[in-house]
Amino acid sequence: MKIAALGEVMVELAPQAAQPGGAPLYAQGFAGDTYNTAIYMARSGVRTGYVTLLGDDPYSEQMLAAMRAEGMDTAAIEQLPGRCPGLYTIQNSADGERQFTYWRGESPARELFVDVSARSRLQAYLGQMDCLYLSGITLAIMAPEAREHLLAFLADFRHKGGRVAFDSNYRPRLWASKTAAREAVDAFLQQADIALLTFEDEQALWGDRNAGRSLERNGRYRLAELVLKRGAEPVLLQYDGELSAIAVPPVQDIVDTTGAGDSFNAGYLAARLHGAEPETAVGAGNRCAAAVIRHRGAIIPADQFAAGRQGDCAHAGAQPVRA
């Protein structure tokens, strides 16, 4: 099975040890929500491609090299002359929760699906895939007209047998208004087969009071699989007419929750693409997220990721619940 993720990759500055006086030292890496998921899917043995636009600067070249070193397909990535990618920094609280500061206004990825000839090449590439993965951030950085072209393509892609996985991943600052975000997310959920949602995002975007309301509201879409992540609370899975709650095993020594949801999505999608049942895939998602949040930055070293995926989170039980 082949999957392609669409979105943005940025330069990441993650805090490390503090200098005398308290100012942090930063480690440079590369990250972005769908990029993080793509990296971890590739490490999980899935044939993964990434679709974005980069510049012709040294950082863009390093990004391409990093993706290729992970075994990812970068054939669809084009580089725009004179441009460079966005950047963000991470700040962590004592419990590992994170806050981001962004510099991304000139990111080339904002022009995805804008150029007509480039769009045709992208569609030809994406049409070879079995599954496509994108997020609310992917939509937020795109021009409205480009989103319409992508939406039409996804409808045709699914009509021909392809599957679409979507994470709403709501970031208010990226949208002109909450109404615009709701309209876009609603339209793309109508073209999704798998929804990988986070309750915190559902609350912020839709005002849901509880998880039951989120499940009810998303029930109007024709989703084959609905996953609702709730931090340390059990993951809710709606599949084949049944609702299950899958426990999230406790994780010790959390240092940075950056990429937790992205890595969960990677574990879940990789397991499903390898033929695992959804309940088992949720356990794989939990395992991946547990490995990532024990380290700083969105992308952790490959050996630490591989070791973490084999940990005690491997088999989480599923049980029917009533929302």
Side-chain angles (χ1 to χ4, degrees):
M1 300 289 286
K2 296 184 294 183
I3 187 169
L6 297 82
E8 178 184 24
V9 54
M10 293 175 286
V11 177
E12 175 194 81
L13 297 180
Q16 306 297 307
Q19 302 179 74
L25 293 173
Y26 289 92
Q28 180 203 308
F30 303 119
D33 68 332
T34 60
Y35 172 82
N36 304 336
T37 300
I39 289 287
Y40 292 129
M41 285 193 296
R43 290 183 181 180
S44 301
V46 176
R47 297 168 63 191
T48 306
Y50 197 67
V51 173
T52 191
L53 291 173
L54 295 176
D56 57 357
D57 61 294
Y59 293 107
S60 294
E61 295 293 345
Q62 291 170 22
M63 289 172 175
L64 285 169
M67 284 185 264
R68 290 164 182 161
E70 297 282 357
M72 291 169 59
D73 181 5
T74 62
I77 297 178
E78 297 197 20
Q79 295 178 263
L80 304 185
R83 302 290 291 277
C84 59
L87 177 147
Y88 77 98
T89 61
I90 304 171
Q91 291 179 302
N92 294 112
S93 58
D95 62 357
E97 284 301 315
R98 74 284 188 272
Q99 180 177 344
F100 304 129
T101 303
Y102 294 99
W103 295 263
R104 70 198 308 178
E106 299 301 318
S107 170
R110 289 177 174 270
E111 296 176 25
L112 271 174
F113 266 76
V114 171
D115 181 82
V116 176
S117 59
R119 188 190 311 147
S120 297
R121 292 191 294 271
L122 279 181
Q123 290 174 341
Y125 174 83
L126 295 173
Q128 304 173 51
M129 300 294 149
D130 300 294
C131 184
L132 302 179
Y133 172 70
L134 65 156
S135 75
I137 294 178
T138 310
L139 307 184
I141 65 171
M142 296 176 69
E145 182 181 349
R147 284 201 300 267
E148 291 301 318
H149 286 294
L150 175 58
L151 186 65
F153 171 78
L154 292 182
D156 184 63
F157 176 77
R158 295 178 70 230
H159 179 72
K160 294 176 179 177
R163 305 185 76 201
V164 175
F166 180 73
D167 181 344
S168 58
N169 218 354
Y170 176 54
R171 296 294 182 269
R173 285 188 174 186
L174 294 177
W175 293 96
S177 67
K178 184 176 290 188
T179 298
R182 285 177 171 178
E183 290 176 352
V185 169
D186 175 77
F188 278 80
L189 278 170
Q190 293 182 47
Q191 294 301 331
D193 300 283
I194 303 171
L196 298 162
L197 309 178
T198 301
F199 180 55
E200 184 178 356
D201 290 335
E202 298 296 284
Q203 284 183 303
L205 181 56
W206 301 101
D208 292 346
R209 296 183 303 275
N210 52 55
R213 173 56 184 152
S214 293
L215 292 171
E216 179 184 6
R217 183 175 43 74
N218 285 288
R220 69 178 185 266
Y221 304 112
R222 297 180 179 180
L223 297 165
E225 302 167 39
L226 170 61
V227 178
L228 187 63
K229 298 164 282 183
R230 302 187 296 161
E233 296 297 313
V235 175
L236 298 182
L237 170 68
Q238 185 79 57
Y239 175 72
D240 198 22
E242 294 188 2
L243 178 63
S244 300
I246 297 91
V248 178
V251 181
Q252 303 298 321
D253 304 319
I254 298 174
V255 298
D256 186 359
T257 58
T258 302
D262 306 330
S263 54
F264 175 95
N265 293 352
Y268 184 90
L269 291 173
R272 292 292 286 137
L273 290 171
H274 285 314
E277 290 298 314
E279 290 86 354
T280 302
V282 170
N286 285 335
R287 188 161 67 251
C288 289
V292 170
I293 62 178
R294 292 188 178 104
H295 304 275
R296 295 201 180 276
I299 305 299
I300 69 174
D303 58 341
Q304 296 174 2
F305 178 72
R309 288 179 61 234
Q310 304 305 317
D312 295 335
C313 310
H315 303 289
Q319 56 189 11
V321 297
R322 180 170 297 178

